[in-house]
Amino acid sequence: SLEQGEPEQYRILSLLPRGYGKTVSCTKAGSLWSHLDDPKMTTLIASATTNLSEDIMASIASVMEGAGDLGRSAWFVWLYGNWKMGATAWKPKEFIHHGYRGRDSVSEGSFEMTSAEVGMTGYHHRQHWWDDPIYANKLRDNKVAYLRSVLTAFNASYDALHANGLLALTCTRYLDADVAGRAMRDEGIASWT
């Protein structure tokens, strides 16, 4: 649980090329798994665009309620229950306060979303999961201005995240000075696998 121990932010970087399933395995499955470990977890999902963030949120919600066919999605509900049941808020593309969490006075949702387009004023989640904060096609136009806006949005996580929070970045590298490149240059790398 992130509530135990000395306050220290943890950072994870997953660098994979396009088409390797990084969103499914890291952002969707990883963030959901952390809620199994700690039902009161608060998670902010962020990406380059609002549409992508909404799609990620909708997929996570679908797994929590076992929507769709009785195949893979239903395994989660069979093992851990339907988290839509007892939810105090269920807007799958925006804000979820799932039933596994129960009722509490924390204003942040179990899952919420934002994007580099929108920002995160007022958000103070215990986890921020950034998934592909750079939209590759936008690098063609005004690369410098676009990259600056993405870096500003991503850097907001450092102050908005809890003192003992987790910042997870899952992305594809595009430039030396992109979000992952800056993070590796400024913070260094503790370990590499």
Side-chain angles (χ1 to χ4, degrees):
S1 169
L2 292 176
E3 290 182 331
Q4 299 170 352
E6 294 295 316
E8 180 181 2
Q9 287 185 352
Y10 296 91
R11 299 182 180 121
I12 296 173
L13 172 61
S14 299
L15 291 176
L16 294 166
R18 295 180 77 169
Y20 274 69
K22 63 187 175 297
T23 298
V24 172
S25 61
C26 297
T27 306
K28 294 175 184 176
S31 64
L32 189 53
W33 174 82
S34 70
H35 284 250
L36 288 169
D37 185 49
D38 185 352
K40 294 183 180 176
M41 183 61 65
T42 58
T43 299
L44 182 67
I45 300 291
S47 69
T49 66
T50 300
N51 286 344
L52 179 56
S53 296
E54 288 175 347
D55 287 348
I56 293 169
M57 284 281 295
S59 292
I60 292 169
S62 177
V63 170
M64 287 190 290
E65 67 177 308
D69 62 10
L70 295 177
R72 290 178 284 168
S73 295
W75 275 101
F76 184 88
V77 172
W78 184 73
L79 292 168
Y80 308 111
N82 184 331
W83 290 9
K84 186 175 181 181
M85 306 285 274
T88 57
W90 195 268
K91 295 180 182 175
K93 290 187 172 189
E94 301 169 31
F95 181 92
I96 296 169
H97 185 127
H98 56 65
Y100 185 56
R101 176 169 156 186
R103 298 186 183 277
D104 58 29
S105 60
V106 177
S107 60
E108 287 82 15
S110 301
F111 287 92
E112 290 184 63
M113 77 86 195
T114 191
S115 67
E117 299 171 326
V118 175
M120 64 181 72
T121 302
Y123 292 105
H124 296 287
H125 296 83
R126 289 178 43 218
Q127 294 184 357
H128 288 196
W129 289 78
W130 277 91
D131 189 284
D132 278 331
I134 294 177
Y135 187 63
N137 289 341
K138 290 190 178 185
L139 289 173
R140 293 184 195 137
D141 301 332
N142 189 348
K143 177 169 59 176
V144 174
Y146 175 67
L147 193 55
R148 187 179 318 121
S149 71
V150 171
L151 288 167
T152 299
F154 178 79
N155 288 340
S157 282
Y158 292 114
D159 293 326
L161 192 63
H162 271 228
N164 61 347
L166 169 67
L167 176 57
L169 171 60
T170 300
C171 61
T172 298
R173 290 295 307 273
Y174 293 106
L175 303 165
D176 287 341
D178 64 9
V179 176
R182 292 272 178 105
M184 289 187 287
R185 184 194 72 200
D186 296 347
E187 298 181 44
I189 301 169
S191 65
W192 182 272
T193 303

